[in-house]
Amino acid sequence: MRLYSQMTLAELQEEMERLRLEAEAKKKLGDNSQFGIIQQKYFMAKSYYLGTDEYRINGKYSVPEYDQPFTIEYFNGVFAWGRFPDSDEQTGFPIGMLEPWF
């Protein structure tokens, strides 16, 4: 299998669809461990598909399973690093996990 960074946008789309279907199947079977692994792979493929151009330093974004906005401080590849409002700890997420905070 090729690295996501070496795939074309079309290949990344195909990979994301394959992973989405595989994740749905694992979730239906109740295999939460495998579902979580496949979901992370999906977010990584999505991150390479999207790129960082649409994301902004100091922008606020929502992250699944977190109820506070995440503020981006910098990028390292397809990872956005930043903080939540009530935390001094810096955290990184693949940009494919982030959605605009409203």
Side-chain angles (χ1 to χ4, degrees), residues 80-94:
W81 288 86
R83 302 175 200 281
F84 291 101
D86 295 338
S87 176
D88 292 332
E89 184 178 336
Q90 197 171 55
T91 308
F93 295 101

Side-chain angles (χ1 to χ4, degrees), residues 35-93:
F35 170 76
I37 292 168
I38 294 165
Q39 186 179 44
Q40 289 301 313
K41 288 181 180 182
Y42 172 84
F43 285 135
M44 287 302 297
K46 183 178 176 186
S47 297
Y48 278 96
Y49 180 79
L50 295 173
T52 59
D53 292 345
E54 299 298 317
Y55 297 85
R56 300 287 172 250
I57 302 294
N58 295 320
K60 295 191 183 319
Y61 297 88
S62 65
V63 180
E65 300 181 22
Y66 290 86
D67 59 354
Q68 295 182 320
F70 174 74
T71 303
I72 296 176
E73 295 176 354
Y74 70 94
F75 297 103
N76 186 355
V78 295
F79 271 75
W81 288 86
R83 302 175 200 281
F84 291 101
D86 295 338
S87 176
D88 292 332
E89 184 178 336
Q90 197 171 55
T91 308
F93 295 101

